[in-house]
Amino acid sequence: MGAMGLTLSRSGFLLTLAMSLGAVPTSGDARMQHALPGVELPARIESMIAGEAWQESWVGIVVMRPDGTVLYERMADVRMVPASNQKVLSAVFALDTFGPDYRPETKFWKEGDDIWVDAVGDPSLTSVQFAELRARFKPSPKSRVFVRSAFGDGYGPGWEYDDLPFRYAPRVTAFSADRAQFEVTHANGIVKAPAWAGVQVRHEPGLADATATFDREKRVVTVLGRLKADTPLVARFAQPDPTMSAALMLGGKLIRTDKVPDRAPDYIHKGDDMRTWVKNCLEPSDNLLAEMLLISAASKRTPLGTAPYAKAQAELTKFMTETVGVKKGAVRPDDGSGLSRHNLVSPRALAQVLRHAYSSPYRDVFVDGLPQSGEGTLRTRLKGMAVSAKTGSLDVVSALSGYVHGKDDESLIFSIMLNHHVVSTAQARELQDTIVGELLAWLDSERFYEREYVWCGSVEKDVSDPRTFAFADHRLR
């Protein structure tokens, strides 16, 4: 404490010392725009959200160092809808549960004409692989496919009915192929879907370009309009019953069971490892993979039965409070992907989850799995910046959470959550990107000042006179 009752921060003291030696750059130096690290950052962020558009919106922000030091917070403990930032929780939960090298194993047996399957949940299986298995097992017209699933089928809780026909909202099952989607294609004027999809396709020609709709209840795809000769693909939709479709791919009628043959399997399919699974989920924001991360990790910890989500929610909440250390009540999960509007998480809790991942052995796997600037869901955003972050969007919801990486291998953790705003999605993203750019500039400016204006030299033996201090080098480098 000085004579005038002022306390100087470390950076403030160093800058004052640099100023006394005439070592501070001129105002024309771009780095001077981000002077006084640790002092100006909150004010600069506040100035960005001071506009009228944000005054009656929920703007939750937390910025912290990897050691947990909070540099800025605003509405940090208010629970908000995270949209696809919920995938961050699912991915960290799964990585903590399985580790990055885990690969799900689906086991197959041939017993007479029948095929038996033990499905733990592998979203990487494809119809091409099933065609190879069908050739291997050679089913007959009498064949049945008995499937034991690690958890019951169902849609994510809170999913809106109108979303369910679309490929981004498929039924979540332990046994499926092609990400539980099917394609509608055309050739020689004939529109069709795979037989295993279990749907009918109707085409009504017209002058306008073709559009397609899918009635999930009636299992009817209707295509209206003119087909594009050079584009065979018409549309993609969610399979109405992925487990049934997988059984048909193998060549038999689906029979659900709770047992499998008591002998070594005839074939074991190993799916993608967890690092690939996480990247394929986070980078393009794949909802099915996120649901499978949540459900699979929960089923590893406790039997889920026929109603998996209730227990999965409880297991994820327990992990967040007991392992990550978030405050009780700061997280209320509903699904694994963020498609549900009933997910709630505070910005501080999201930042704590990111910090937990950053301090874990799988840090590089998780950070690399996030969209990088200019890639995945960030393909048009933050180009040229060293940023790894997960996006999230629903109506009046926009979120961006992740890491900015400085030039000296130092990173900051951030979570920016916007709810109840009335601006466009583009404007919400512009605010997030501007804040992230400021964080990166601030981090580099902090390192700049420490590198350029911090001197650690030898001290002469006689230090009774302050004038005998000898700095190794007090020139600008």
Side-chain angles (χ1 to χ4, degrees):
M1 182 74 69
M4 298 183 66
L6 297 176
T7 301
L8 280 178
S9 67
R10 175 174 63 109
S11 57
F13 169 76
L14 294 172
L15 183 61
T16 301
L17 181 59
M19 290 171 64
S20 70
L21 295 172
V24 176
T26 67
S27 59
D29 191 316
R31 287 161 292 193
M32 193 60 180
Q33 300 298 317
H34 306 280
L36 290 172
V39 178
E40 280 203 358
L41 180 63
R44 294 183 71 86
I45 296 177
E46 288 291 336
S47 70
M48 296 174 189
I49 55 179
E52 182 178 351
W54 304 109
Q55 292 312 297
E56 296 183 4
S57 305
W58 288 6
V59 181
I61 305 173
V62 169
V63 181
M64 67 170 62
R65 298 187 190 276
D67 66 4
T69 302
V70 175
L71 301 175
Y72 176 80
E73 60 181 19
R74 186 181 194 276
M75 298 185 75
D77 296 307
V78 176
R79 291 184 294 269
M80 302 187 187
V81 177
S84 283
N85 272 205
Q86 185 76 11
K87 293 180 175 71
V88 170
L89 278 63
S90 298
V92 172
F93 182 41
L95 283 168
D96 237 77
T97 302
F98 292 112
D101 297 321
Y102 166 77
R103 298 177 66 186
E105 295 185 351
T106 305
K107 300 174 182 178
F108 299 85
W109 293 261
K110 181 71 183 298
E111 295 272 299
D113 286 330
D114 297 329
I115 299 170
W116 294 72
V117 183
D118 190 16
V120 298
D122 177 7
S124 69
L125 285 162
T126 68
S127 55
V128 172
Q129 292 169 335
F130 278 157
E132 295 171 352
L133 284 170
R134 183 169 180 162
R136 179 190 187 101
F137 290 132
K138 297 179 175 59
S140 73
K142 298 186 298 181
S143 292
R144 297 168 297 176
V145 178
F146 291 82
V147 178
R148 181 174 74 175
S149 297
F151 48 87
D153 298 359
Y155 292 100
W159 288 11
E160 296 185 1
Y161 182 83
D162 290 347
D163 286 329
L164 302 185
F166 296 100
R167 63 187 181 92
Y168 59 80
R171 192 175 183 89
V172 181
T173 73
F175 190 52
S176 66
D178 294 348
R179 305 276 179 90
Q181 303 171 17
F182 71 93
E183 294 184 348
V184 180
T185 59
H186 76 90
N188 301 319
I190 299 175
V191 184
K192 62 180 181 179
W196 48 256
V199 302
Q200 295 179 326
V201 180
R202 299 172 180 170
H203 177 218
E204 297 181 16
L207 297 178
D209 288 342
T211 59
T213 57
F214 178 39
D215 186 323
R216 187 176 61 88
E217 298 295 335
K218 295 181 179 179
R219 300 193 178 186
V220 175
V221 175
T222 302
V223 179
L224 302 176
R226 183 182 68 249
L227 303 170
K228 295 182 179 180
D230 59 345
T231 307
L233 178 65
V234 177
R236 289 190 183 93
F237 293 106
Q239 297 171 17
D241 188 340
T243 306
M244 179 205 72
S245 291
L248 290 174
M249 292 179 201
L250 282 176
K253 178 183 177 182
L254 172 65
I255 305 292
R256 298 179 185 274
T257 183
D258 59 1
K259 62 180 181 180
V260 293
D262 186 19
R263 62 177 179 83
D266 297 313
Y267 180 78
I268 299 176
H269 174 82
K270 291 188 176 183
D272 290 339
D273 60 27
M274 185 57 64
R275 58 171 46 83
T276 303
W277 191 342
V278 166
K279 187 172 184 63
N280 288 342
C281 168
L282 296 179
E283 189 171 86
S285 202
D286 189 290
N287 291 334
L288 176 63
L289 294 187
E291 301 302 331
M292 295 292 289
L293 287 170
L294 168 65
I295 297 297
S296 296
S299 68
K300 174 72 173 179
R301 294 167 180 254
T302 188
L304 299 184
T306 57
Y309 273 98
K311 290 186 177 180
Q313 293 161 357
E315 288 298 320
L316 178 57
T317 301
K318 181 180 178 182
F319 168 74
M320 290 295 153
T321 55
E322 296 183 3
T323 303
V324 178
V326 305
K327 184 173 66 174
K328 186 177 181 179
V331 173
R332 190 193 74 176
D334 197 44
D335 67 4
S337 64
L339 191 57
S340 169
R341 289 182 171 275
H342 297 286
N343 294 297
L344 292 175
V345 57
S346 71
R348 191 188 308 280
L350 251 173
Q352 289 175 308
V353 173
L354 290 164
R355 182 186 172 221
H356 175 81
Y358 201 78
S359 62
S360 298
Y362 54 78
R363 176 180 72 180
D364 292 344
V365 170
F366 177 73
V367 175
D368 291 345
L370 289 167
Q372 311 299 310
S373 53
E375 300 177 358
T377 55
L378 289 178
R379 60 187 175 278
T380 62
R381 301 175 62 181
L382 302 167
K383 290 186 177 179
M385 299 185 188
V387 179
S388 309
K390 183 70 195 77
T391 56
S393 295
L394 289 170
D395 186 32
V396 303
V397 174
S398 186
L400 184 69
S401 301
Y403 312 93
V404 295
H405 310 289
K407 294 178 181 177
D408 293 333
D409 294 329
E410 183 171 354
S411 299
L412 294 179
I413 298 165
F414 69 89
S415 179
I416 307 169
M417 301 181 69
L418 311 177
N419 278 200
H420 305 294
H421 54 77
V422 294
V423 303
S424 67
T425 299
Q427 289 173 292
R429 291 173 177 173
E430 182 180 8
L431 173 65
Q432 294 163 349
D433 294 357
T434 301
I435 294 173
V436 169
E438 182 62 33
L439 296 181
L440 192 57
W442 178 87
L443 183 58
D444 286 342
S445 73
E446 185 185 49
R447 299 284 73 78
F448 173 79
Y449 276 102
E450 290 189 354
R451 184 174 64 250
E452 300 297 329
Y453 309 127
V454 177
W455 304 277
C456 298
S458 60
V459 178
E460 301 290 344
K461 291 181 180 179
D462 181 9
V463 295
S464 58
D465 185 345
R467 292 172 295 178
T468 63
F469 274 75
F471 292 96
D473 185 1
H474 56 78
R475 295 169 298 173
L476 286 176
R477 292 193 287 266

